[in-house]
């Protein structure tokens, strides 16, 4: 089961707001894709939250775009920032990236974001959003959201 960003936001507005803030704090984040041989590839990436979707834009024929065309599964980690602070916690998103082929939809994104042309554009279908943070300098808290499943919160000392 998957959900787009709007469905996630509707199901868990506080966690969605926190995730957007974490991704908004820095420009570059880490995307994991699968190579031809199935081994992981990590690369830097900029993301956009726009019109109820989480978008991934890429340079033409970049290895990450070719990976996603072959196998749409991805994991995305928000830039943790400088030092040890992890302000707002660690946020990770997993799902499937679906390439946008519709010229009108791609043009609308291009008008809003103004990426270098040409570019690949993928919209995401989420399978999981995870936030990990420290509470009261005592607890490690892990929040896990998956489509159709209530938010789980795990606290560890």
């Amino acid at each position: 089961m998957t959900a787009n960003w709007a469905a996630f936001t509707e199901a868990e507005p506080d966690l969605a707001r926190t995730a957007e803030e974490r991704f908004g704090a820095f420009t570059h984040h880490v995307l994991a894709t699968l190579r031809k041989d199935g081994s992981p590839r990590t690369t830097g990436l900029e993301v956009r939250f726009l019109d109820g979707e989480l978008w991934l834009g890429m340079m033409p024929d970049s290895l990450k775009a070719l990976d996603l065309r072959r196998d749409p599964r991805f994991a995305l980690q928000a830039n943790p920032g400088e030092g040890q602070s992890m302000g707002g916690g660690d946020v990770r998103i997993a799902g499937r990236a679906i390439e946008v082929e519709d010229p009108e939809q791609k043009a609308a994104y291009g008008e809003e974001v103004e990426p270098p042309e040409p570019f690949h554009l993928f919209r995401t279908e989420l399978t999981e959003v995870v936030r990990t943070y420290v509470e009261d300098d005592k607890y490690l808290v892990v929040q896990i959201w998956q489509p159709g499943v209530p938010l789980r919160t795990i606290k560890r000392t």
Side-chain angles (χ1 to χ4, degrees):
M1 179 178 242
T2 63
N4 73 353
W5 192 258
F8 166 57
T9 299
E10 185 176 321
E12 290 298 331
D14 291 339
L15 182 55
R17 190 175 317 105
T18 298
E20 286 188 38
E21 287 169 0
R22 285 296 296 122
F23 279 96
F26 295 93
T27 303
H28 297 97
H29 307 285
V30 178
L31 176 72
T33 58
L34 296 170
R35 300 171 190 253
K36 260 187 221 181
D37 67 3
S39 64
R41 179 192 316 273
T42 59
T43 53
L45 180 77
E46 296 180 29
V47 303
R48 291 283 196 276
F49 298 92
L50 188 62
D51 298 327
E53 300 286 355
L54 168 57
W55 301 97
L56 311 177
M58 299 168 203
M59 292 180 7
D61 298 324
S62 64
L63 293 175
K64 58 191 160 199
L66 299 176
D67 287 347
L68 291 172
R69 281 180 159 177
R70 188 176 42 261
D71 186 328
R73 293 176 293 172
F74 74 91
L76 178 65
Q77 181 154 2
N79 185 325
E82 297 178 24
Q84 304 288 321
S85 68
M86 295 288 291
D90 178 50
V91 176
R92 298 177 310 277
I93 298 170
R96 296 169 39 88
I98 310 304
E99 189 161 17
V100 174
E101 303 286 355
D102 177 17
E104 288 180 26
Q105 192 174 33
K106 199 169 173 183
Y109 175 88
E111 285 176 23
E112 182 72 28
V113 177
E114 298 180 354
E117 297 274 352
F119 63 96
H120 292 286
L121 180 62
F122 295 84
R123 68 173 181 77
T124 60
E125 297 178 348
L126 312 180
T127 57
E128 182 177 70
V129 177
V130 178
R131 177 184 179 215
T132 305
Y133 63 98
V134 176
E135 182 178 281
D136 298 331
D137 291 325
K138 182 177 182 181
Y139 300 102
L140 178 68
V141 181
V142 181
Q143 295 175 298
I144 305 163
W145 176 84
Q146 296 171 311
V149 179
L151 180 68
R152 290 184 297 147
T153 302
I154 301 164
K155 279 189 177 183
R156 300 182 197 159
T157 53

